[in-house]
Amino acid sequence: MARASRRRLRLARVFFVFGISISACFLGSIGCSHQEATPSAAASSSASAIANVPDANVIIDAIAHTTAPQIALGNLNADLAMREKQMAHAPPDAESVGHYVDLLLAHSQFAGKVSDLEKADQFTANALQRIVGNGTVHLARANALGAVHKFDAALAELVLAEKANVEPLRVAEARAAIFQAVGRFDDAAAIRNKEDENLLPVTSLAARAELAGEMQKPDESERLFTEARAKYRDVSPFPLAWMDFQRASLLERRGDREGAKKYFAEANQILPTYTHASV
Protein backbone atom coordinates (compact mmCIF):
# COMPACT_ATOMS: atom_id res chain seq x y z
CA MET A 1 0.00 0.00 0.00
CA ALA A 2 2.84 2.39 0.84
CA ARG A 3 4.43 1.73 -2.55
CA ALA A 4 1.16 2.44 -4.36
CA SER A 5 0.75 5.65 -2.39
CA ARG A 6 4.25 6.81 -3.31
CA ARG A 7 3.52 6.07 -6.96
CA ARG A 8 0.36 8.17 -6.89
CA LEU A 9 2.30 11.04 -5.33
CA ARG A 10 5.00 10.78 -7.97
CA LEU A 11 2.43 10.91 -10.77
CA ALA A 12 0.75 13.93 -9.23
CA ARG A 13 4.06 15.74 -8.88
CA VAL A 14 5.37 14.93 -12.33
CA PHE A 15 2.15 15.70 -14.19
CA PHE A 16 2.83 19.42 -14.44
CA VAL A 17 6.17 18.79 -16.08
CA PHE A 18 4.05 18.74 -19.24
CA GLY A 19 2.90 22.31 -18.74
CA ILE A 20 6.00 23.68 -17.12
CA SER A 21 8.49 22.42 -19.68
CA ILE A 22 6.54 22.72 -22.90
CA SER A 23 4.86 26.01 -22.14
CA ALA A 24 7.16 27.87 -19.77
CA CYS A 25 6.93 31.02 -21.87
CA PHE A 26 3.15 30.81 -21.83
CA LEU A 27 3.09 30.44 -18.07
CA GLY A 28 5.36 33.41 -17.69
CA SER A 29 2.96 35.53 -19.71
CA ILE A 30 0.06 34.68 -17.39
CA GLY A 31 1.68 36.58 -14.56
CA CYS A 32 1.73 39.94 -16.33
CA SER A 33 -0.52 39.78 -19.38
CA HIS A 34 -3.26 41.88 -17.82
CA GLN A 35 -1.73 43.75 -14.91
CA GLU A 36 1.74 44.79 -13.85
CA ALA A 37 3.42 42.86 -11.09
CA THR A 38 3.55 44.64 -7.75
CA PRO A 39 4.82 43.40 -4.38
CA SER A 40 1.82 42.21 -2.40
CA ALA A 41 1.10 42.13 1.31
CA ALA A 42 1.31 38.33 1.12
CA ALA A 43 4.78 38.62 -0.39
CA SER A 44 5.92 40.89 2.43
CA SER A 45 4.66 38.55 5.13
CA SER A 46 6.18 35.59 3.31
CA ALA A 47 9.62 37.15 3.51
CA SER A 48 9.68 37.17 7.30
CA ALA A 49 8.05 33.75 7.55
CA ILE A 50 10.72 31.96 5.54
CA ALA A 51 13.87 33.74 6.66
CA ASN A 52 15.37 30.47 7.87
CA VAL A 53 14.80 28.53 4.62
CA PRO A 54 17.95 27.50 2.71
CA ASP A 55 18.93 30.12 0.04
CA ALA A 56 16.50 32.49 1.78
CA ASN A 57 17.82 35.63 0.10
CA VAL A 58 17.06 34.16 -3.32
CA ILE A 59 13.63 33.02 -2.19
CA ILE A 60 12.61 36.31 -0.58
CA ASP A 61 13.77 38.27 -3.61
CA ALA A 62 11.83 36.01 -5.95
CA ILE A 63 8.60 36.28 -3.93
CA ALA A 64 8.89 40.04 -3.68
CA HIS A 65 9.04 40.39 -7.47
CA THR A 66 6.37 37.93 -8.56
CA THR A 67 2.89 38.97 -9.54
CA ALA A 68 0.42 38.93 -6.65
CA PRO A 69 -1.22 35.48 -6.62
CA GLN A 70 -4.76 36.80 -6.89
CA ILE A 71 -3.79 38.76 -10.00
CA ALA A 72 -1.93 35.84 -11.58
CA LEU A 73 -4.84 33.45 -11.04
CA GLY A 74 -7.29 36.11 -12.19
CA ASN A 75 -5.31 36.50 -15.40
CA LEU A 76 -5.33 32.73 -15.90
CA ASN A 77 -9.09 32.62 -15.40
CA ALA A 78 -9.54 35.54 -17.79
CA ASP A 79 -7.40 33.88 -20.45
CA LEU A 80 -9.45 30.70 -20.16
CA ALA A 81 -12.72 32.62 -20.40
CA MET A 82 -11.46 34.56 -23.43
CA ARG A 83 -10.43 31.36 -25.25
CA GLU A 84 -13.76 29.73 -24.53
CA LYS A 85 -15.64 32.79 -25.74
CA GLN A 86 -13.66 32.79 -28.98
CA MET A 87 -14.27 29.08 -29.50
CA ALA A 88 -18.01 29.58 -29.01
CA HIS A 89 -18.01 31.77 -32.14
CA ALA A 90 -15.60 29.80 -34.30
CA PRO A 91 -13.85 26.42 -34.09
CA PRO A 92 -10.25 26.84 -32.92
CA ASP A 93 -7.29 26.23 -35.20
CA ALA A 94 -4.48 23.86 -34.21
CA GLU A 95 -2.42 26.48 -32.35
CA SER A 96 -5.46 27.61 -30.38
CA VAL A 97 -6.14 23.99 -29.43
CA GLY A 98 -2.63 23.73 -27.98
CA HIS A 99 -2.89 27.00 -26.08
CA TYR A 100 -6.27 26.14 -24.62
CA VAL A 101 -5.07 22.76 -23.38
CA ASP A 102 -2.05 24.44 -21.77
CA LEU A 103 -4.41 26.79 -19.96
CA LEU A 104 -6.66 23.96 -18.78
CA LEU A 105 -3.75 21.90 -17.45
CA ALA A 106 -2.24 24.89 -15.66
CA HIS A 107 -5.59 25.76 -14.11
CA SER A 108 -6.15 22.19 -12.99
CA GLN A 109 -2.70 22.02 -11.40
CA PHE A 110 -2.87 25.26 -9.44
CA ALA A 111 -6.60 25.58 -8.75
CA GLY A 112 -7.17 21.87 -8.14
CA LYS A 113 -9.88 21.45 -10.77
CA VAL A 114 -10.17 17.82 -11.85
CA SER A 115 -12.92 18.90 -14.24
CA ASP A 116 -10.27 20.76 -16.26
CA LEU A 117 -8.47 17.48 -16.93
CA GLU A 118 -11.68 15.83 -18.07
CA LYS A 119 -12.40 18.83 -20.28
CA ALA A 120 -8.91 18.71 -21.84
CA ASP A 121 -9.29 14.98 -22.50
CA GLN A 122 -12.63 15.36 -24.25
CA PHE A 123 -11.66 18.57 -26.04
CA THR A 124 -8.52 17.10 -27.61
CA ALA A 125 -10.34 13.91 -28.61
CA ASN A 126 -12.86 16.05 -30.49
CA ALA A 127 -10.13 18.24 -31.97
CA LEU A 128 -8.42 15.20 -33.47
CA GLN A 129 -11.64 14.34 -35.30
CA ARG A 130 -11.95 17.85 -36.71
CA ILE A 131 -8.28 18.69 -37.43
CA VAL A 132 -6.91 15.46 -38.87
CA GLY A 133 -3.21 14.71 -38.98
CA ASN A 134 -1.99 17.93 -37.36
CA GLY A 135 1.08 17.50 -35.17
CA THR A 136 0.23 20.34 -32.79
CA VAL A 137 -3.14 18.74 -32.06
CA HIS A 138 -1.50 15.34 -31.53
CA LEU A 139 0.91 16.96 -29.07
CA ALA A 140 -1.96 18.64 -27.22
CA ARG A 141 -3.75 15.30 -27.11
CA ALA A 142 -0.64 13.64 -25.70
CA ASN A 143 -0.40 16.27 -22.97
CA ALA A 144 -4.06 15.85 -22.07
CA LEU A 145 -3.74 12.06 -21.96
CA GLY A 146 -0.58 12.27 -19.85
CA ALA A 147 -2.34 14.54 -17.39
CA VAL A 148 -4.99 11.87 -16.76
CA HIS A 149 -2.31 9.14 -16.61
CA LYS A 150 -3.16 7.45 -19.92
CA PHE A 151 0.53 7.15 -20.63
CA ASP A 152 0.58 4.47 -23.33
CA ALA A 153 -1.95 6.41 -25.37
CA ALA A 154 0.00 9.62 -24.80
CA LEU A 155 3.21 8.02 -26.09
CA ALA A 156 1.35 6.87 -29.21
CA GLU A 157 0.16 10.43 -29.82
CA LEU A 158 3.74 11.69 -29.51
CA VAL A 159 4.79 9.32 -32.29
CA LEU A 160 2.10 10.84 -34.51
CA ALA A 161 3.14 14.37 -33.51
CA GLU A 162 6.72 13.50 -34.40
CA LYS A 163 5.71 12.15 -37.81
CA ALA A 164 3.76 15.37 -38.43
CA ASN A 165 6.97 17.39 -37.92
CA VAL A 166 6.28 18.99 -34.54
CA GLU A 167 9.41 20.62 -33.14
CA PRO A 168 11.56 17.70 -31.90
CA LEU A 169 12.40 19.35 -28.58
CA ARG A 170 8.72 19.67 -27.67
CA VAL A 171 8.10 16.01 -28.41
CA ALA A 172 11.26 14.93 -26.59
CA GLU A 173 10.37 16.91 -23.46
CA ALA A 174 6.83 15.52 -23.38
CA ARG A 175 8.21 12.00 -23.81
CA ALA A 176 10.73 12.53 -21.01
CA ALA A 177 7.93 13.70 -18.73
CA ILE A 178 5.98 10.51 -19.38
CA PHE A 179 9.02 8.33 -18.80
CA GLN A 180 9.64 10.15 -15.52
CA ALA A 181 6.01 9.77 -14.46
CA VAL A 182 6.03 6.00 -14.94
CA GLY A 183 9.41 5.46 -13.31
CA ARG A 184 11.52 5.03 -16.46
CA PHE A 185 14.13 7.35 -15.03
CA ASP A 186 17.08 6.22 -17.13
CA ASP A 187 15.08 6.81 -20.31
CA ALA A 188 14.01 10.23 -19.08
CA ALA A 189 17.58 11.13 -18.15
CA ALA A 190 18.85 10.10 -21.58
CA ILE A 191 16.50 12.65 -23.15
CA ARG A 192 17.00 15.44 -20.63
CA ASN A 193 20.79 15.16 -20.59
CA LYS A 194 20.87 15.29 -24.38
CA GLU A 195 18.43 18.11 -24.91
CA ASP A 196 18.74 20.31 -21.83
CA GLU A 197 21.19 22.78 -23.30
CA ASN A 198 18.52 23.80 -25.82
CA LEU A 199 15.70 24.27 -23.31
CA LEU A 200 14.80 27.22 -21.15
CA PRO A 201 17.39 27.27 -18.34
CA VAL A 202 15.06 27.35 -15.32
CA THR A 203 12.62 24.86 -16.83
CA SER A 204 15.46 22.54 -17.74
CA LEU A 205 17.20 22.77 -14.39
CA ALA A 206 14.03 22.23 -12.35
CA ALA A 207 13.06 19.18 -14.40
CA ARG A 208 16.56 17.76 -14.04
CA ALA A 209 16.48 18.47 -10.29
CA GLU A 210 13.24 16.52 -9.89
CA LEU A 211 14.62 13.66 -11.97
CA ALA A 212 17.87 13.56 -9.98
CA GLY A 213 15.83 13.28 -6.80
CA GLU A 214 13.82 10.42 -8.23
CA MET A 215 17.09 8.68 -9.15
CA GLN A 216 18.33 8.89 -5.53
CA LYS A 217 20.87 11.66 -6.19
CA PRO A 218 19.90 14.10 -3.43
CA ASP A 219 22.99 16.31 -3.57
CA GLU A 220 22.66 16.82 -7.31
CA SER A 221 18.93 17.42 -6.93
CA GLU A 222 19.40 20.11 -4.30
CA ARG A 223 22.18 21.76 -6.29
CA LEU A 224 20.02 21.96 -9.41
CA PHE A 225 16.99 23.28 -7.52
CA THR A 226 19.14 25.98 -5.94
CA GLU A 227 20.59 26.91 -9.32
CA ALA A 228 17.13 27.03 -10.90
CA ARG A 229 15.88 29.32 -8.13
CA ALA A 230 18.87 31.61 -8.49
CA LYS A 231 18.26 31.95 -12.24
CA TYR A 232 14.53 32.59 -12.02
CA ARG A 233 13.78 36.08 -13.37
CA ASP A 234 10.12 35.93 -14.41
CA VAL A 235 7.24 37.60 -12.59
CA SER A 236 4.87 34.63 -12.78
CA PRO A 237 4.39 32.82 -9.45
CA PHE A 238 3.33 29.55 -11.11
CA PRO A 239 6.72 28.03 -12.04
CA LEU A 240 8.21 29.26 -8.77
CA ALA A 241 5.51 27.58 -6.68
CA TRP A 242 5.83 24.43 -8.78
CA MET A 243 9.58 24.22 -8.15
CA ASP A 244 9.01 24.54 -4.40
CA PHE A 245 6.36 21.84 -4.45
CA GLN A 246 8.62 19.44 -6.35
CA ARG A 247 11.50 20.11 -3.98
CA ALA A 248 9.37 19.71 -0.88
CA SER A 249 7.92 16.43 -2.12
CA LEU A 250 11.37 14.96 -2.64
CA LEU A 251 12.58 16.17 0.76
CA GLU A 252 9.54 14.61 2.42
CA ARG A 253 10.19 11.26 0.76
CA ARG A 254 13.79 11.38 1.99
CA GLY A 255 12.56 11.87 5.55
CA ASP A 256 13.44 15.57 5.84
CA ARG A 257 10.06 16.67 7.10
CA GLU A 258 11.23 20.05 8.36
CA GLY A 259 12.82 20.94 5.03
CA ALA A 260 9.73 19.73 3.22
CA LYS A 261 7.41 21.80 5.38
CA LYS A 262 9.41 24.95 4.63
CA TYR A 263 9.14 24.54 0.88
CA PHE A 264 5.50 23.41 0.98
CA ALA A 265 4.77 26.51 3.06
CA GLU A 266 6.63 28.72 0.65
CA ALA A 267 4.76 27.30 -2.35
CA ASN A 268 1.53 28.00 -0.49
CA GLN A 269 2.67 31.54 0.34
CA ILE A 270 3.63 32.29 -3.24
CA LEU A 271 0.35 30.83 -4.54
CA PRO A 272 -2.27 30.19 -1.82
CA THR A 273 -4.61 28.53 -4.34
CA TYR A 274 -2.02 25.83 -5.13
CA THR A 275 -4.14 22.90 -3.97
CA HIS A 276 -1.45 20.19 -3.91
CA ALA A 277 0.87 22.34 -1.79
CA SER A 278 -1.92 23.38 0.58
CA VAL A 279 -2.98 19.79 1.20
Side-chain angles (χ1 to χ4, degrees):
M1 175 141 345
R3 181 177 299 174
S5 178
R6 285 195 298 271
R7 177 175 171 77
R8 286 193 294 271
L9 285 170
R10 185 173 70 238
L11 296 178
R13 290 199 312 277
V14 172
F15 140 60
F16 193 63
V17 172
F18 286 95
I20 205 80
S21 57
I22 295 173
S23 309
C25 290
F26 143 72
L27 281 175
S29 71
I30 290 174
C32 56
S33 59
H34 302 290
Q35 301 191 41
E36 291 296 321
T38 54
S40 64
S44 299
S45 63
S46 297
S48 59
I50 61 168
N52 62 337
V53 178
D55 33 297
N57 290 334
V58 172
I59 292 167
I60 291 171
D61 181 68
I63 293 175
H65 291 89
T66 54
T67 301
Q70 64 271 25
I71 293 176
L73 190 62
N75 291 343
L76 176 56
N77 289 332
D79 286 341
L80 264 173
M82 180 183 68
R83 293 277 177 184
E84 290 172 348
K85 184 176 180 180
Q86 291 171 342
M87 290 189 297
H89 290 89
D93 60 16
E95 290 299 321
S96 295
V97 168
H99 289 313
Y100 181 58
V101 171
D102 285 341
L103 288 165
L104 285 173
L105 298 187
H107 193 260
S108 175
Q109 176 74 2
F110 294 110
K113 299 291 186 181
V114 176
S115 59
D116 289 330
L117 301 183
E118 297 167 347
K119 187 182 294 186
D121 189 3
Q122 186 61 54
F123 174 76
T124 53
N126 293 338
L128 281 179
Q129 299 299 315
R130 187 174 57 82
I131 309 175
V132 178
N134 184 279
T136 299
V137 178
H138 282 298
L139 180 60
R141 178 62 175 157
N143 289 338
L145 288 168
V148 294
H149 302 171
K150 298 177 182 178
F151 295 114
D152 289 340
L155 287 171
E157 290 296 333
L158 290 179
V159 172
L160 296 175
E162 205 165 32
K163 290 179 178 178
N165 298 317
V166 170
E167 183 183 356
L169 280 175
R170 299 177 70 193
V171 175
E173 183 62 18
R175 188 172 282 129
I178 295 174
F179 289 161
Q180 191 169 335
V182 299
R184 293 173 58 179
F185 302 135
D186 289 337
D187 291 330
I191 294 173
R192 295 202 189 283
N193 291 341
K194 179 180 178 182
E195 306 290 358
D196 271 349
E197 64 270 18
N198 298 312
L199 300 177
L200 294 173
V202 171
T203 300
S204 161
L205 289 169
R208 287 173 58 197
E210 215 291 1
L211 181 57
E214 294 282 12
M215 298 179 75
Q216 308 304 313
K217 300 176 181 178
D219 292 342
E220 180 180 351
S221 178
E222 283 296 293
R223 177 183 64 78
L224 289 169
F225 272 124
T226 298
E227 186 178 349
R229 293 301 303 271
K231 289 183 175 180
Y232 188 74
R233 295 291 183 272
D234 210 317
V235 298
S236 172
F238 295 112
L240 199 61
W242 175 81
M243 280 191 278
D244 283 336
F245 177 78
Q246 300 292 80
R247 193 173 191 173
S249 299
L250 289 166
L251 288 169
E252 183 180 33
R253 289 174 59 196
R254 292 204 299 267
D256 184 358
R257 293 180 62 82
E258 289 304 310
K261 283 197 298 184
K262 290 173 183 177
Y263 284 108
F264 278 134
E266 184 195 326
N268 182 249
Q269 289 162 340
I270 295 171
L271 199 65
T273 57
Y274 193 174
T275 305
H276 294 310
S278 299
V279 171

